[in-house]
Amino acid sequence: MNIASRLEKLKNETGKNVTLVAVSKTKPANVVLQAYEAGQRIFGENKVQELCDKYEQLPKDIEWHLIGHLQTNKVKYVAPFVALIHAVDSMKLLKEINKEAAKNNRVQECLLQVFIATEETKFGLDFSEAEFLLASKELTDMPNIRIRGLMGMATFTDDEEQVRREFRSLKIFFDKMKTTASQDFNILSMGMSGDYKIAIEEGSSMIRVGSSIFGERQA
Ligand SMILES: *Cc1c(COP(=O)(O)O)cnc(C)c1O
């Protein structure tokens, strides 16, 4: 199957209410362009340098999402153009994003990354940290930040019930935060190639899919 038909298949499976972020990390610009030509406009990258390179090389109507961990000292490189930052995991990072967004006269849309997996390597806030941050006056005082929702990654495991439980816990937390948040707190980014079906069943509104579109990545 080629990229266009894989995208078509994914769209049919996910329906209209779920936004597809095509994760193009490690794939060269000409391959990304094949997905673009098939109609895909939202792409996700996990590294700042690669994101900036592809932004330069590819059509300007692409909506670029940064899905990976972001270091404070690299915010300035993505601040002029990035549509959504998925993995905000500290107040320090938010402050820097607010500052750089202001310099660019932008309001930067962000998701808070919440830790739901059992692995120790995954970044993110725990539920109480995320709740604290969302309620903080410091956040209210950042005019150039708009928190659109939450992002989470399930444990990398064959145990589907565990994955389901983790996604479900994030959805419950998301709904709880939604009751006090602003109206545009409405994005729940969860689900990758291996688990997007479960994620959608558990209430995901945005999936980040790479290998199911572009094929396996080289290690
Ligand atoms: C790589 C990556 C994905 C996509 O992974 P696939 O398994 O290839 O779909 C999704 N989210 C994040 C944060 C990633 O780094």
Side-chain angles (χ1 to χ4, degrees):
M1 249 202 295
N2 63 17
I3 287 173
S5 44
R6 288 195 188 124
L7 277 169
E8 185 65 28
K9 182 170 170 281
L10 260 171
K11 289 220 179 81
N12 290 334
E13 279 173 9
T14 56
K16 281 198 177 58
N17 297 328
V18 177
T19 303
L20 171 64
V21 180
V23 176
S24 48
K25 62 189 185 194
T26 78
K27 302 295 170 184
N30 67 307
V31 173
V32 183
L33 204 52
Q34 290 174 39
Y36 178 88
E37 279 161 0
Q40 181 66 24
R41 289 295 178 274
I42 306 177
F43 291 89
E45 289 285 335
N46 70 335
K47 295 210 169 75
V48 166
Q49 182 66 55
E50 197 176 340
L51 174 62
C52 293
D53 290 348
K54 285 180 187 162
Y55 169 72
E56 290 300 328
Q57 292 167 31
L58 286 156
K60 288 294 174 283
D61 62 339
I62 288 179
E63 186 181 300
W64 288 104
H65 291 198
L66 182 64
I67 61 173
H69 182 67
L70 176 58
Q71 287 173 286
T72 314
N73 61 353
K74 294 194 175 160
V75 173
K76 56 178 177 288
Y77 302 116
V78 298
F81 70 91
V82 71
L84 184 64
I85 299 175
H86 284 236
V88 174
D89 61 357
S90 72
M91 183 59 89
K92 180 172 165 246
L93 179 57
L94 269 179
K95 282 183 181 157
E96 182 66 16
I97 296 170
N98 184 56
K99 191 182 92 190
E100 292 297 328
K103 281 189 198 164
N104 288 280
N105 286 312
R106 298 184 64 223
V107 173
Q108 182 64 58
E109 306 211 324
C110 299
L111 305 178
L112 296 184
Q113 182 174 6
V114 179
F115 183 87
I116 52 173
T118 53
E119 289 137 352
E120 281 183 15
T121 52
K122 302 239 162 98
F123 293 100
L125 303 155
D126 65 29
F127 290 133
S128 59
E129 288 169 333
E131 183 165 12
F132 182 82
L133 212 154
L134 282 169
S136 68
K137 180 169 183 309
E138 273 170 299
L139 179 60
T140 323
D141 289 344
M142 291 180 196
N144 297 80
I145 296 279
R146 185 174 297 141
I147 305 285
R148 292 292 311 275
L150 306 175
M151 183 272 240
M153 290 167 86
T155 303
F156 189 71
T157 172
D158 289 336
D159 184 347
E160 291 197 356
E161 282 313 307
Q162 181 181 351
V163 170
R164 189 177 293 284
R165 273 198 305 278
E166 291 171 357
F167 285 146
R168 187 168 295 174
S169 71
L170 187 56
K171 174 66 160 74
I172 290 168
F173 179 70
F174 174 76
D175 287 342
K176 187 176 159 203
M177 293 301 102
K178 212 172 153 39
T179 59
T180 50
S182 68
Q183 258 194 346
D184 46 14
F185 186 91
N186 57 10
I187 299 177
L188 181 55
S189 167
M190 56 183 199
M192 314 177 16
S193 292
D195 56 20
Y196 68 85
K197 286 178 190 154
I198 302 175
I200 292 169
E201 284 166 10
E202 296 303 329
S204 171
S205 69
M206 183 175 276
I207 57 172
R208 311 173 310 273
V209 177
S211 42
S212 289
I213 299 169
F214 297 105
E216 292 301 319
R217 288 178 297 273
Q218 307 295 88

